[in-house]
């Protein structure tokens, strides 16, 4: 199929494009659009036929449920059976924004959206284009990240095109996204809410609003099944093997030399501050170490950029697990399939 592109530089001037994209979603086609986190691939959440097209285009396993995107609180009430106090407080504070809330599922939602679960994940994105498309379609829109399953999430329309051109009806190009990593997913169906996926909103920020929040033990320990089905899959991976290196720049450089000695083409993922310390085939800085937000914002772009070189292995620095650093390390660890070398642990 031919994938239509709508360029939206000014939301007011480009309103006809937004309306057309919304019409296509109403007609049960799938359309990619920007949110404040990453690009989403949207479809009518009430139509299992439309939602089925998302799974097919992404090659997504059918047991991995989707997040429903809404633009009004009335839509939320129609999608769930009840809204606990904790969820209300989080919604007041963080919506629209990069927080997805898991609640008990109401009636009407297509079964494939929730992969048969009795709960549903919902968020109100903080992006004018996303909100305008949802309002114009006048529908809740199911939307996973608009990448082929397993690849890094797209932070530009070009990334979406690389992965899905010819496989989806259209792409709304609204420029680069801001946060760069996906939303935090928090389950509010339990007495004490639990973070299922770290993201743009940190645990500290959640606890300021509702007190104690737990974290899915599978995020911290090996061998446990994560409560968020999507997290059991390898994800965000570049084509070359990715290895995280904990320790000094000298220790990382040593790994590079060892790999080069055995004839490998080697990349290094570092920061603007540290890039001068390395010698390798390709050195890509990902934001500044002093600003973890900037690392989050550029992470997927840099992981995708490595695919432009035919590398055998990429060594990546690690980042402090504070604030959004938790989400950065969660994604990097997944991308590396858990492969970590440490100067401190042998
Ligand atoms: O920022 C984001 O959240 C982006 C943008 C497009 O909104 N979307 C996104 O969707 O990251 P996706 O499909 O790539 O990730 C959704 C995650 C998956 O890990 C999935 O398993 C989990 O949310 N999820 C969805 N419904 C769930 C549910 N009912 N219970 C637990 N986890 C759920
Ligand atoms: Mg995804």
């Amino acid at each position: 199929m031919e994938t239509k592109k709508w360029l939206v530089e000014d939301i007011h001037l480009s309103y006809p494009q937004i309306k057309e994209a919304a019409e296509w979603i109403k007609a049960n086609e799938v359309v990619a659009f920007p949110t404040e986190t990453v690009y989403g691939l949207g479809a009518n959440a009430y139509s299992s036929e439309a939602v089925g097209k998302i799974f097919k285009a992404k090659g997504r396993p059918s047991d991995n449920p989707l997040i429903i995107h809404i633009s009004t609180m009335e839509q939320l009430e129609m999608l769930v059976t009840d809204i606990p106090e904790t969820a209300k407080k989080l919604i007041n504070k963080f919506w629209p924004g990069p927080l997805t809330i898991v609640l008990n599922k109401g009636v009407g939602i297509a079964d494939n959206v929730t992969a048969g679960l009795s709960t549903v994940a919902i968020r109100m994105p903080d992006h004018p284009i996303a909100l305008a498309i949802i309002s114009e379609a006048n529908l809740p829109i199911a939307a996973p990240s608009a990448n082929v399953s397993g690849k890094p999430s797209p932070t530009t329309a070009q990334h979406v095109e690389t992965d899905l051109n010819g496989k989806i009806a259209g792409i709304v190009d609204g420029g680069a996204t801001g946060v760069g990593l996906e939303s935090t997913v928090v389950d509010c169906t339990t007495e004490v809410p639990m973070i299922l996926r770290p993201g743009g909103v940190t645990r500290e920020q959640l606890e300021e609003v509702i007190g104690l929040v737990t974290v899915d033990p599978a995020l911290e320990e090996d061998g446990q099944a994560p409560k968020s089905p999507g997290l059991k899959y390898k994800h965000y991976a570049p084509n070359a093997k990715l290895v995280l290196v904990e320790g000094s720049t000298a220790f990382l450089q040593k790994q590079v030399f060892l790999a080069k000695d055995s004839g490998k083409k080697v990349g290094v993922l570092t920061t603007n501050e540290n890039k001068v310390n390395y010698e390798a085939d390709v050195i890509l800085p990902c934001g500044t170490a002093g600003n973890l937000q900037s690392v989050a914002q550029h992470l997927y772009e840099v992981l995708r950029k490595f695919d432009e070189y035919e590398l055998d292995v990429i060594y990546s620095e690690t980042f402090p697990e504070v604030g959004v650093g938790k989400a950065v390390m969660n994604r990097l660890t997944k991308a590396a399939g858990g492969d970590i070398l440490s100067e401190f642990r042998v």
Side-chain angles (χ1 to χ4, degrees), residues 63-210:
D63 69 348
N64 190 2
L66 310 178
I67 295 170
I68 297 184
H69 296 64
I70 58 172
S71 62
T72 66
M73 289 305 288
E74 288 72 45
Q75 286 174 324
L76 176 66
E77 280 157 25
M78 289 173 64
L79 295 170
V80 301
T81 59
D82 60 304
I83 309 172
E85 272 313 304
T86 49
K88 283 185 189 152
K89 287 185 184 155
L90 293 178
I91 287 166
N92 277 333
K93 176 77 182 177
F94 296 107
W95 280 9
L99 181 69
T100 294
I101 301 184
V102 173
L103 295 167
N104 288 311
K105 177 185 172 175
V107 289
I109 305 166
D111 265 345
N112 47 358
V113 170
T114 57
L117 297 177
S118 61
T119 56
V120 58
I122 303 179
R123 84 177 188 102
M124 191 185 287
D126 187 15
H127 194 291
I129 295 177
L131 289 171
I133 290 174
I134 303 165
S135 303
E136 278 301 327
N138 197 21
L139 284 170
I141 296 183
S145 49
N147 50 286
V148 161
S149 258
K151 290 306 251 173
S153 296
T155 54
T156 65
Q158 287 69 40
H159 295 162
V160 179
E161 208 179 329
T162 304
D163 278 16
L164 297 173
N165 198 29
K167 295 185 185 161
I168 60 177
I171 303 172
V172 179
D173 181 351
T177 60
V179 179
L181 294 182
E182 304 85 347
S183 61
T184 303
V185 178
V186 61
D187 183 353
C188 283
T189 64
T190 48
E191 187 79 17
V192 178
M194 180 184 278
I195 294 174
L196 305 185
R197 178 178 74 180
V201 176
T202 64
R203 179 183 191 173
E204 295 84 343
Q205 287 174 302
L206 296 175
E207 290 194 325
E208 253 174 51
V209 180
I210 53 168

